[in-house]
Amino acid sequence: MSDTEATVQVLRELVPEELQAPRVAIICGSGLSGLVASLRHSVLVSYDKLPGFVQSTVPGHKSSLAFGFMGSGAGVPVVAMLGRFHPYEGHKLSSVVYPVRVMANMGVKNIIITNAAGALNPNLSVGTIVVVHDHIALPNLTGMNPLLGPQTNPSLPRFLPLSDAYSRMLRKLVFRAARDLSIERDALAEGTYAWVSGPTYETPAEGRFLRAAGADVVGMSTVPEVVAAREENMNVLVLSLVTNAVVIPLGYESVRDEFEAEIAGTSTKAVVDEVVSHEEVLAIGKIKGDLMKSLVEKILDLLPTDV
Ligand SMILES: O=P(O)(O)O[C@H]1O[C@H](CO)[C@@H](O)[C@H]1O
Ligand SMILES: Nc1nc2[nH]cnc2c(=O)[nH]1
């Protein structure tokens, strides 16, 4: 029996039968566990009960799986991760993606991955939900790819294409859901997510670099989960909540100009010295959590029955 099968076996003992066949997996990003507050008949399973699962150590992430029904009417059976794992916590990439493999082993065919992210694109304001259509993953390109090493399952492809990683069908569903909910157009955008390892936030020069490479938002998660989910042949949707702007043009105004202006007695342009914090990230998650929740619920309502 494989490791994931063993974990699924434990879950079958802990979760009632009617919740054992989730159609959709949801990964809750930083401060976004409230996404599944409306789960019905819900059952929580703590990660420490599940072989192969590690613990989430980041504030705003819990360490439990939640099973239940979500959406209107009878609802859709879902399994949600109320807290994810990041490599910067010291977790191996194989541990970071392990829950995705377990959920795939349970038969889950669709995954909605959420995250908090910084905006690189100056047109994206804080609070915008970005429907991710592509990614740039420097770690993947430089030796920190979750699929490096012997194949966990020989029936999965060795060379995985990622040009179609983000399901068009699910992305379109987001905009249909937003229209049904009369969510204003500017509340949603489309864009490219840059994955960085963290845990440092970007310097202004790094922000400019990622922006110049074509990224719209940046974060420290999600891409490993996307890669594993695609390997497992799931339909993937990623929603990034913009929680802060990455400071791109600021941070290094000439101190010589400033010094010379000071001794000449003339004033200089005030240096903007805003810095991002995880508290701010969580605060925006709290403010925008309800919007994200309604959107996900509506997406579930609209999900075709054959996927
Ligand atoms: O991507 P999620 O888990 O939502 O969290 C984001 O917020 C944290 C930084 O504030 C980082 O972990 C970053 O990846
Ligand atoms: N790397 C990165 N991750 C984030 N998560 C939330 N905001 C940010 C950010 O500005 N940068």
Side-chain angles (χ1 to χ4, degrees), residues 255-268:
V255 290
R256 176 196 274 175
D257 291 351
E258 195 175 322
F259 167 70
E260 289 175 352
E262 270 166 25
I263 52 173
T266 55
S267 66
T268 52

Side-chain angles (χ1 to χ4, degrees), residues 29-30 61 84 86 88 114-116 193 201 219-222 278 281:
S30 283
H61 290 260
R84 62 150 54 92
H86 309 82
Y88 66 74
T114 67
N115 62 58
Y193 180 93
Y201 292 112
M220 309 171 197
S221 71
T222 298
H278 189 57
V281 167

